[in-house]
Amino acid sequence: MLKVVVLISGTGSNLRALLDEASAPDFPAQVIAVGADREAAGFGHAEAYGIPTFLVPWEQFDSREAWGEELAAQLDVWQPDLVVLSGLMRLLPAGLVDRWAPHIINTHPAYLPEFPGAHGVRDALAAGAAQTGASVIVVDNGVDSGPILAQERVPVLDGDDENRLHERIKPVERRLLIDVVRRVATGDLDLAAASTSL
Ligand code: GAR
């Protein structure tokens, strides 16, 4: 059984989908803890499943590196096989990425390398894109620049605003994320090999 720690910042709707899926007896991965950089509403989903949570509050640290050291200490407690960034709205310091790569993956609401960063949906709309998408990547030390594991297009429709478009992207993200976690767990997807060959 693949042990997964999920890191979030917000509502955690994608986390919820993963937890729902992982509650099926034949799902080959288990979420063992959920962490966040703030008091995230998504903790409620972890609590609903009786899964432990941990908080590493960003504002209580003087630097990204200091915050990352505490986050790394938490990950060392849990010893996951895979770390999933599911809406964690912070860049991880290089030391933490180097320690865990390639076993850290991230979901992103755009068709990378298009529209990386914290406002992928907003940026696609601002660019007048006819289509955007969802991606699951291996985390590296760039901004959403790691090897792409899965991605799918989502059309931009007339009248879309950021919220409406994002809510249409998220179900695609969830499907891709769950599929990637399943494939990592079954060994169909080797993150080390994917990181060198993609
Ligand atoms: C998701 O769309 C995720 O891809 C995005 O935040 C949302 C979290 O939603 N992450 C990023 O934009 C990271 N650059 P959720 O909290 O409802 O799962």
Side-chain angles (χ1 to χ4, degrees):
M1 184 72 86
L2 189 88
K3 292 181 291 171
V4 179
V5 166
V6 182
L7 301 179
I8 61 171
S9 290
T11 56
S13 64
N14 291 351
L15 161 69
R16 178 68 188 218
L18 181 60
L19 291 173
D20 290 346
E21 194 74 20
S23 70
D26 59 344
F27 193 76
Q30 175 190 16
V31 178
I32 56 169
V34 174
D37 63 328
R38 64 195 80 177
E39 280 290 354
F43 274 160
H45 301 306
E47 284 151 14
Y49 274 102
I51 291 168
T53 61
F54 61 88
L55 181 61
V56 186
W58 170 262
E59 70 283 351
Q60 288 184 18
F61 294 86
D62 292 336
S63 66
R64 183 177 309 281
E65 285 65 34
W67 173 76
E69 275 173 28
E70 178 56 27
L71 183 57
Q74 291 289 336
L75 293 177
D76 282 340
V77 169
W78 290 104
Q79 290 291 313
D81 302 306
L82 180 69
V83 179
V84 173
L85 310 188
S86 185
L88 179 75
M89 301 307 280
R90 302 278 176 207
L91 289 179
L92 298 175
L96 192 150
V97 173
D98 293 344
R99 158 77 176 83
W100 286 93
H103 305 287
I104 316 182
I105 64 172
N106 182 34
T107 67
H108 185 72
Y111 198 86
L112 292 168
E114 299 168 8
F115 311 116
H119 305 292
V121 181
R122 190 186 307 172
D123 293 346
L125 281 172
Q131 52 180 0
T132 179
S135 306
V136 179
I137 63 170
V138 176
V139 175
D140 69 4
N141 280 315
V143 178
D144 298 324
S145 57
I148 294 165
L149 300 169
Q151 62 183 168
E152 194 171 310
R153 284 290 187 188
V154 174
V156 179
L157 302 180
D158 285 349
D160 269 350
D161 58 16
E162 186 176 355
N163 187 51
R164 196 174 99 159
L165 178 56
H166 203 166
E167 287 309 312
R168 261 201 345 280
I169 292 170
K170 281 186 181 183
V172 179
E173 274 189 81
R174 288 169 198 149
R175 185 160 39 74
L176 296 179
L177 174 64
I178 288 165
D179 185 55
V180 165
V181 170
R182 185 198 310 273
R183 286 194 291 134
V184 171
T186 59
D188 281 355
L189 177 57
D190 178 337
L191 293 176
S195 296
T196 50
S197 67
L198 288 178

